[in-house]
């Protein structure tokens, strides 16, 4: 019997010829990612359990990307980055991307592949639930807590239960008003926030292969919003070319067996999708943008590991070019590499920064998670009262962006930009 | 932390609904607290469930550090959202020994087991319709039952399955030492 892509990667990492869903196996970890929120606790557990003088299992495999609370006056936030810095120094970790230096990257899930730490066929764990993003490169990637991460730091291994695979086939030609965000919001709306609990969400089909890497990352990124352990897709030439340019390590891609059994299959025809939003307070509360034009908004937020990639800003710019925004529009590139690209003149001679400035958006913030998860009170874009937000982020839970009173509508960058222009939720087809 | 838990847990319960996410369990502004620093561990407890909507009664009394409740009874998908271990830790630090829910989000379940902070138990019945906040419950971990003390009604809990040996050992590290995955602690 064949194995799915997820099962094959886990079998290899467990040193077994085969695994099946439900097996509990110890697997070897290729990359452990942590950041400023969970890193200090992870380090605390590592030192408590393995001793003050313990060394990490492999310096090359630990990546520390502080990103959450960077541009704030909060003392403890700075203390936490200091803990990471001290640990990186003590352990001589080569991959600590220190804020305030030229090495600083920004949001960990966009930075990890950019900095060359994501390779097909590998096992990545991170102390952040959106670690599932890296499945877009054909890796097994999943979010864990500090205790599991502390264990990996000391041993390089983790006990995991092999998940069942749910297969999502996306077919058809995507219209230009549809983005990966619409696809994943539709899927989560259909299967619900528990629809993939404990499972692997595997994406395939011609509509997936046609997506840019940024867009594929959006699909895998939100797998956790349906409860999934990981999101994953088979690596193709687009992935292999990208990875080869960025990593200096050899890797061996893994592909699922053709006859592998999956627990459930779903098919979506992307040519029939319409621009949508997820209404407060659940990513599964699906609604069509054109049916919510009565919702007046106070601000638009474009940023995060889901909606702050270059493709997301390029999409927003197609709408904002030569138009004016009616509400406060916050733009937060995920990483410094993206921030640099925004400032670079494009084919039309204008940079994206200039387009956004002319549209009346607020000044672009430095790269970080910023208001995607609220954060300290002085965080850029954080809601403080009853502001209604259209956001390209991934979660619209109560209080997620700061204030418990601020309703959040999740949307694609196109829908977010169109809504910024009108001041209410708007279907981007009005402007395309 | 990983202290062995008693076999029966009795006390007042706090009842919450479906899809209680980690931002409601511990709002992001408190994630600057590091759980392995003892004072900050306690502080996390004082903020547990402070992200719930205003209709909910206080879980930790104003100005207090611990909750008067011993158990949380929840609906579906408890602990969805972020991987922050601060969530089971905040509940554990506040004095909660077990959560009994219809179902859990994967990472919360795993973090509760790995830390040994609390028992994440499942019951196939909607206990949120049986208990009201403040009602007493008696949890028998041996018999895998939860009893509504006033009415005497008892409900079976689902077996913990593969997670049970990890919980019994007292968390991931204790389990790994017991099974020889990592070296036993040198005294
Ligand atoms: S951008 Fe948002 S979702 Fe992504 S890692 Fe940061 S806080 Fe989490």
């Amino acid at each position: 019997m064949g194995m799915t892509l997820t099962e094959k990667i886990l079998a290899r990492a467990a040193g077994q010829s085969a695994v099946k869903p439900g097996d509990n196996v110890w697997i070897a970890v290729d990359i452990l990612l942590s950041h400023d929120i969970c890193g200090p606790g992870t380090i605390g557990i590592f030192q408590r359990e393995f001793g003050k003088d313990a060394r990490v299992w492999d310096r090359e495999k630990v990546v520390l990307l502080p990103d959450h609370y960077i541009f704030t006056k909060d003392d403890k936030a700075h203390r936490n980055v200091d803990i990471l810095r001290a640990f990186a120094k003590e352990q001589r970790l080569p991959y600590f991307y220190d804020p305030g230096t030229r090495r600083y990257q920004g949001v960990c899930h966009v930075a990890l592949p950019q900095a060359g730490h994501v390779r097909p066929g590998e096992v990545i764990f991170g102390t952040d639930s959106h670690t599932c993003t890296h499945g877009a490169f054909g890796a097994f990637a999943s979010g864990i807590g500090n205790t599991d991460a502390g264990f990996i730091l000391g041993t390089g291994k983790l006990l995991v239960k092999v998940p069942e695979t749910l297969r999502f086939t996306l077919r058809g030609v995507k219209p230009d008003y549809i983005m990966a965000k619409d696809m994943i919001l539709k899927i989560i709306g259909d299967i619900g926030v528990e629809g993939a609990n404990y499972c692997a969400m595997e994406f395939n089909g011609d509509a997936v292969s046609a997506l840019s890497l940024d867009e594929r990352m959006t699909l895998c990124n939100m797998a956790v919003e349906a409860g999934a352990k990981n999101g994953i897709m088979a690596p193709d030439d687009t992935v292999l070319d990208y990875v080869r340019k960025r990593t200096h390590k050899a890797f061996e891609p893994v592909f699922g067996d053709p006859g592998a059994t999956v627990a459930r299959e779903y098919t979506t025809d992307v040519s029939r999708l319409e621009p949508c939003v997820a209404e407060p307070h659940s990513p599964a509360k699906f609604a069509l943008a054109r049916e919510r034009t009565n919702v007046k908004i106070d601000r638009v937020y474009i940023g995060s590991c889901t909606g702050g990639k270059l493709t997301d800003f390029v999409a927003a710019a197609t709408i904002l070019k030569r138009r004016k925004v009616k509400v406060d529009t916050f733009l937060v590139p995920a990483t410094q590499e993206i921030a640099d690209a925004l400032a670079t003149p494009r084919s039309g001679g204008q940079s994206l920064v200039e387009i956004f400035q002319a549209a009346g958006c607020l000044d672009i913030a430095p790269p970080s998670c910023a208001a995607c998860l609220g954060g300290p009170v002085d965080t850029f874009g954080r809601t403080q009262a009853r502001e209604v937000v259209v956001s390209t982020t991934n979660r619209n839970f109560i209080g997620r962006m700061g204030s418990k009173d601020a309703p959040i509508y999740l949307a694609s960058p196109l829908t977010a930009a169109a809504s910024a222009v009108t001041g209410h939720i708007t279907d981007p087809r009005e402007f395309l | 932390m990983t202290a062995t838990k008693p076999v029966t847990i009795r006390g007042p319960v706090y009842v919450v609904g479906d899809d209680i996410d980690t931002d409601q369990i511990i709002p992001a502004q408190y994630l600057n607290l590091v759980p392995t620093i003892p004072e900050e561990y306690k502080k996390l407890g004082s903020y547990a469930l402070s992200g719930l909507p205003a209709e909910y009664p206080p879980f930790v009394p104003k100005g207090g550090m611990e909750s008067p409740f011993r158990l949380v009874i929840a609906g579906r998908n408890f602990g969805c959202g972020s991987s922050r271990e601060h969530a089971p830790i905040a509940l554990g630090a506040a004095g909660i020994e077990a959560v009994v829910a219809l179902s859990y989000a994967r990472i919360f379940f795993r973090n509760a087991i790995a830390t040994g902070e609390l028992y994440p138990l499942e019951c196939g019945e909607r206990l949120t319709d049986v208990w009201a906040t403040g009602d007493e419950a008696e949890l028998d971990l041996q018999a895998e039952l939860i009893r509504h003390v006033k009415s005497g009604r008892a409900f079976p809990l689902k077996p913990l399955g593969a997670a049970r040996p990890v919980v019994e050992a007292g968390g991931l590290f204790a389990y790994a030492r017991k099974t020889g995955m990592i070296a036993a602690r040198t005294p």
Side-chain angles (χ1 to χ4, degrees), chain A residues 2-12 19-21 162-165 260-261:
Chain A
M3 287 187 282
T4 66
L5 177 50
T6 295
E7 288 155 16
K8 270 180 101 164
I9 296 176
L10 293 181
R12 184 160 92 181
V19 296
K20 57 178 188 321
V162 178
E164 290 187 306
T165 292
T261 334

Side-chain angles (χ1 to χ4, degrees), chain A residues 35 37 67-68 107-109 128-130 133 221 225 301 303-306 334 368-374 393-395 400, chain B residues 82 84:
Chain A
H35 51 43
I37 287 193
D67 56 356
H68 278 60
V107 178
C108 60
H109 303 306
D128 190 284
S129 61
H130 292 103
T133 308
N221 174 278
E225 263 56 72
Y301 185 93
S304 85
C305 53
T306 316
S368 88
C369 294
C372 170
L373 86 163
T393 55
N394 44 45
R395 291 192 176 135
R400 171 71 181 182
Chain B
S82 115
R84 61 187 76 152

Side-chain angles (χ1 to χ4, degrees), chain A residues 254-338:
Chain A
V254 171
F255 300 91
D257 296 325
T261 334
V262 296
R264 286 192 291 283
E265 294 200 64
Y266 303 85
T267 306
T268 307
D269 178 353
V270 301
S271 69
R272 303 169 64 113
L273 293 179
E274 294 191 73
C276 64
V277 296
E279 298 184 286
H281 302 282
S282 168
K285 240 178 140 192
F286 179 91
L288 293 180
R290 65 176 168 79
E291 288 174 356
R292 290 295 179 273
T293 51
N294 59 332
V295 178
K296 285 215 173 0
I297 63 168
D298 301 300
R299 63 172 63 173
V300 161
Y301 185 93
I302 300 179
S304 85
C305 53
T306 316
K309 295 171 265 86
L310 185 57
T311 305
D312 301 310
F313 289 104
V314 170
T318 58
I319 301 228
L320 295 179
K321 196 169 183 167
R322 288 189 283 274
R323 293 195 178 91
K324 290 269 180 212
V325 297
K326 273 216 182 109
V327 296
D328 287 346
T329 302
F330 296 79
L331 308 171
V332 191
T335 62
Q336 190 57 48
E337 184 176 314
I338 297 168

Side-chain angles (χ1 to χ4, degrees), chain B residues 5-90:
Chain B
K5 298 228 163 25
V7 184
T8 50
I9 300 165
R10 188 181 161 140
V13 310
Y14 189 81
V15 181
V16 296
D18 291 343
D19 301 320
I20 300 299
D21 60 76
T22 48
D23 286 274
Q24 295 184 63
I25 299 172
I26 184 77
Q29 73 197 96
Y30 306 123
L31 298 183
N32 56 5
L33 297 166
V34 174
T36 44
I37 300 174
E39 316 82 75
E40 298 189 14
Y41 171 84
K42 287 212 197 85
K43 269 228 115 124
L44 279 166
S46 73
Y47 297 125
L49 290 174
S50 64
L52 286 172
E55 310 83 91
Y56 279 92
F59 177 68
V60 175
K62 224 181 164 57
M65 296 299 280
E66 285 205 19
S67 172
F69 303 100
R70 283 291 153 272
L71 294 124
V72 169
I73 289 196
R76 303 198 68 82
N77 202 26
F78 186 79
C80 58
S82 115
S83 64
R84 61 187 76 152
E85 204 164 279
H86 308 67
I89 286 174

Side-chain angles (χ1 to χ4, degrees), chain A residues 69 146-148 194 197 404, chain B residues 28 40 52 85 103-104 110:
Chain A
Y69 300 164
N146 298 355
T147 300
D148 283 336
E194 271 194 301
N197 210 3
K404 279 192 213 178
Chain B
E40 298 189 14
L52 286 172
E85 204 164 279
S103 62
Y104 291 90
R110 181 162 181 121

Side-chain angles (χ1 to χ4, degrees), chain A residues 12-193:
Chain A
R12 184 160 92 181
Q16 294 180 194
S17 57
V19 296
K20 57 178 188 321
D23 287 356
N24 287 288
V25 287
W26 288 98
I27 57 169
V29 178
D30 295 297
I31 290 290
L32 175 69
L33 161 70
S34 195
H35 51 43
D36 50 323
I37 287 193
C38 295
T42 298
I43 292 166
I45 287 168
F46 169 72
Q47 291 171 336
R48 184 181 77 206
E49 298 291 336
F50 294 101
K52 280 264 171 250
D53 305 323
R55 312 304 297 175
V56 302
W57 99 101
D58 189 335
R59 297 189 300 126
E60 288 281 322
K61 295 183 173 174
V62 179
V63 181
L64 299 177
L65 280 159
D67 56 356
H68 278 60
Y69 300 164
I70 304 303
F71 304 100
T72 167
K73 291 200 175 68
D74 186 82
D75 288 342
K76 283 214 171 61
H78 290 287
R79 188 267 324 256
N80 291 349
V81 178
D82 291 343
I83 295 175
L84 295 186
R85 190 177 294 121
F87 185 72
K89 191 161 175 232
E90 170 204 308
Q91 301 276 338
R92 294 185 297 115
L93 299 180
Y95 304 122
F96 168 54
Y97 296 93
D98 201 354
T101 73
R102 285 182 51 204
R103 301 201 71 204
Y104 175 67
Q105 300 271 331
V107 178
C108 60
H109 303 306
V110 183
L112 197 72
Q114 275 178 1
H117 302 297
V118 178
R119 288 168 287 266
E122 293 199 349
V123 170
I124 301 171
F125 283 108
T127 57
D128 190 284
S129 61
H130 292 103
T131 304
C132 54
T133 308
H134 311 296
F137 299 84
F140 172 85
S142 187
I144 52 171
N146 298 355
T147 300
D148 283 336
F151 189 89
I152 294 174
L153 265 188
T155 66
K157 293 213 156 63
L158 194 63
L159 180 62
V160 299
K161 187 173 182 174
V162 178
E164 290 187 306
T165 292
L166 307 184
R167 182 170 290 150
F168 295 84
T169 303
L170 304 179
R171 289 207 183 295
V173 177
K174 173 189 88 63
D176 60 2
Y177 48 82
I178 289 298
M179 297 189 71
K181 184 67 169 282
D182 298 296
M183 302 178 192
I184 192 69
L185 288 179
K186 172 79 172 110
I187 289 173
I188 298 168
D190 287 347
I191 68 173
V193 286

Side-chain angles (χ1 to χ4, degrees), chain A residues 181-229:
Chain A
K181 184 67 169 282
D182 298 296
M183 302 178 192
I184 192 69
L185 288 179
K186 172 79 172 110
I187 289 173
I188 298 168
D190 287 347
I191 68 173
V193 286
E194 271 194 301
N197 210 3
Y198 297 96
C199 298
M201 283 176 94
E202 183 184 297
F203 300 96
N204 69 5
D206 52 334
V208 174
S209 324
L211 291 174
S212 68
L213 272 180
D214 277 358
E215 288 279 85
R216 296 183 201 182
M217 287 169 76
T218 302
L219 284 183
C220 288
N221 174 278
M222 288 194 70
V224 68
E225 263 56 72
K229 189 170 209 153

